[in-house]
Amino acid sequence: MIITDIRTAEVAIPLVTPFRTALRTVEEVRDVLVCVETDQGLQGFGEAPPTGVITGETLESITAAVQGWIRPALLGRDVMELEGIMKALHSCMVKNTSAKAAVDMAVYDLRAKALGVPLWKLLGGYRSQVETDLTVSVNAAGEMVRDSLSAVEQGFRILKIKVGRDSAGDLERLSAIRKAVGPEIRLRVDANQGWEPKEAVRIIRALEDGGVEPELVEQPVKAQDLAGMKLVRDSVLTPILADESVFSAGDAIRLIQLGAADLINIKLMKTGGIYGALQICAIAESCGVECMIGCMLESKLAVSAAAHLAGAKGVITRADLDGPSLCREDPYEGGPVFQGGQISLGDAPGLGFGPELLRTGAIFGKGNAQ
Ligand code: MG
């Protein structure tokens, strides 16, 4: 099955409420969609979000990377010869991990469709359901309490609380949320690099002593500050999760060797797709480190690829795949079912989307196959 064309398009979906972290504020999901076409008529789909503050990519750079660099490297290759495709994808240019991820997931979608199996079964077949948390954006304490209660009402049992924008108020925010939602709801805290190492130790110890008891604290300090991550990890009881500190398999090895975190957050947009994510899974599993799978502000297509990976691998013990729940509408035809905190992967081949991808019909226009 030979790759004959790779096409791109843009999708825009409004968010339920603006998404606010220590790094940015976003009003809508506006992503690049990718379609990989083959000589047998099958199509594979992928998606990449422009997360400039984390991967350095924009809508324009993702489209240019796919069309100008990745497409020429992959045209004419056989979808079943995965190693050759992945070597070409990762050596045709450095960085641009989201652009690569969109094409990577489309190739995996195609392979699973060609074999007639859902991707989660092709990659390992560990579980058909995945439970995700829901993110609560960083705002004033009262607003975050209201958002947390509304998430619990929607059926979420795990909340991911964004902090780190104004560290002086973080303790108050988290205490108020714990008091409102009660002891049964699991709270994950994500500082998005917003704290200094000693400040992080002070805040996390206070959370432990004050009964907030988060399940984990994600990326408390700067991504490059592995010594700071280790200081925090060694000084508190709460598990520390590395997110922005780990993009690649090499980053995972360095982090584990240093003992700088307890857990690793895998995101397809950091690893350049499923192929690189599987390498981190293998390293983490062999070192006894559990992983979370996360997403950027992505809509259901890209998040579904991450959910299939979570369904495949036992080492992925936590999921932060709430992109579709933050979107006001679902433009896709088919795919996994997201309901409350539960994601049901289903048995449709590949990622599980219909042949047109969108409910409104074709989006990729006429091909320019050669
Ligand atoms: Mg994070």
Side-chain angles (χ1 to χ4, degrees):
M1 188 182 295
I2 303 301
I3 296 176
T4 52
D5 199 6
I6 300 180
R7 292 193 251 160
T8 48
E10 274 183 28
V11 68
I13 308 168
L15 291 172
V16 178
T17 52
F19 182 82
R20 265 188 252 281
T21 76
L23 296 173
R24 60 188 175 137
T25 300
V26 185
E27 311 277 343
E28 67 170 1
V29 168
R30 211 167 143 224
D31 291 355
V32 176
L33 299 182
V34 166
C35 174
V36 176
E37 295 205 327
T38 63
D39 61 349
Q40 294 181 24
L42 268 186
Q43 296 175 319
F45 300 117
E47 176 189 355
T51 318
V53 290
I54 297 174
T55 71
E57 294 167 275
T58 64
L59 284 173
E60 294 76 12
S61 81
I62 291 166
T63 303
V66 172
Q67 290 300 340
W69 297 72
I70 297 171
R71 182 176 177 276
L74 265 51
L75 285 188
R77 290 186 179 270
D78 185 339
V79 168
M80 285 301 152
E81 294 175 1
L82 184 70
E83 290 284 324
I85 288 182
M86 290 301 155
K87 281 193 168 49
L89 174 65
H90 289 281
S91 64
C92 71
M93 64 192 314
V94 299
K95 301 185 179 176
N96 292 280
T97 47
S98 306
K100 289 173 183 170
V103 175
D104 162 288
M105 70 180 72
V107 169
Y108 276 97
D109 183 28
L110 269 172
R111 289 168 61 79
K113 278 176 177 161
L115 296 168
V117 293
L119 185 57
W120 68 274
K121 282 192 178 169
L122 177 65
L123 296 177
Y126 188 71
R127 52 172 100 77
S128 62
Q129 282 235 336
V130 175
E131 182 169 12
T132 178
D133 58 33
L134 185 73
T135 298
V136 174
S137 284
V138 54
N139 282 302
E143 191 171 347
M144 291 178 77
V145 165
R146 276 195 300 280
D147 290 346
S148 301
L149 289 172
S150 141
V152 172
E153 259 169 47
Q154 291 169 57
F156 290 91
R157 299 183 298 180
I158 315 168
L159 304 181
K160 172 141 147 188
I161 314 296
K162 292 286 191 182
V163 294
R165 210 178 228 201
D166 138 49
S167 55
D170 283 341
L171 205 51
E172 180 204 341
R173 290 185 175 89
L174 290 162
S175 302
I177 291 167
R178 170 56 82 205
K179 203 168 157 215
V181 300
E184 300 298 320
I185 300 297
R186 286 153 68 188
L187 298 182
R188 297 170 179 166
V189 173
D190 189 356
N192 282 109
Q193 316 177 51
W195 295 334
E196 295 301 322
K198 288 183 179 176
E199 180 180 42
V201 172
R202 181 179 58 75
I203 295 172
I204 297 168
R205 282 184 180 166
L207 295 175
E208 290 169 352
D209 295 343
V212 175
E213 293 178 1
E215 175 194 341
L216 56 86
V217 171
E218 181 170 343
Q219 198 66 49
V221 306
K222 292 271 177 289
Q224 309 81 345
D225 186 7
L226 294 187
M229 288 285 282
K230 180 170 168 52
L231 174 89
V232 177
R233 185 202 179 198
D234 289 345
S235 309
V236 300
L237 298 173
T238 306
I240 302 300
L241 170 69
D243 181 6
E244 290 95 324
S245 290
V246 176
F247 270 56
S248 65
D251 293 341
I253 290 172
R254 272 188 292 281
L255 182 100
I256 292 171
Q257 277 179 334
L258 273 172
D262 299 279
L263 304 158
I264 294 173
N265 190 352
I266 297 174
K267 290 179 180 165
L268 300 182
M269 300 306 146
K270 297 188 297 182
T271 59
I274 291 167
Y275 191 79
L278 287 169
Q279 293 174 338
I280 295 184
C281 285
I283 291 162
E285 189 174 5
S286 40
C287 296
V289 171
E290 293 179 5
C291 296
M292 176 151 103
I293 184 116
C295 58
M296 307 291 188
L297 257 187
E298 298 156 24
S299 70
K300 191 171 136 183
L301 174 53
V303 174
S304 294
H308 275 275
L309 179 63
K313 306 300 288 180
V315 71
I316 299 176
T317 54
R318 295 166 176 83
D320 171 29
L321 297 177
D322 59 358
S325 310
L326 304 174
C327 291
R328 200 181 287 271
E329 52 206 54
D330 172 13
Y332 297 101
E333 182 193 0
V337 176
F338 290 71
Q339 193 159 36
Q342 297 297 328
I343 306 169
S344 304
L345 296 168
D347 260 327
L351 295 173
F353 291 89
E356 299 275 26
L357 184 61
L358 298 185
R359 295 175 205 271
T360 49
I363 184 175
F364 291 101
K366 207 168 148 29
N368 43 356
Q370 21 184 265

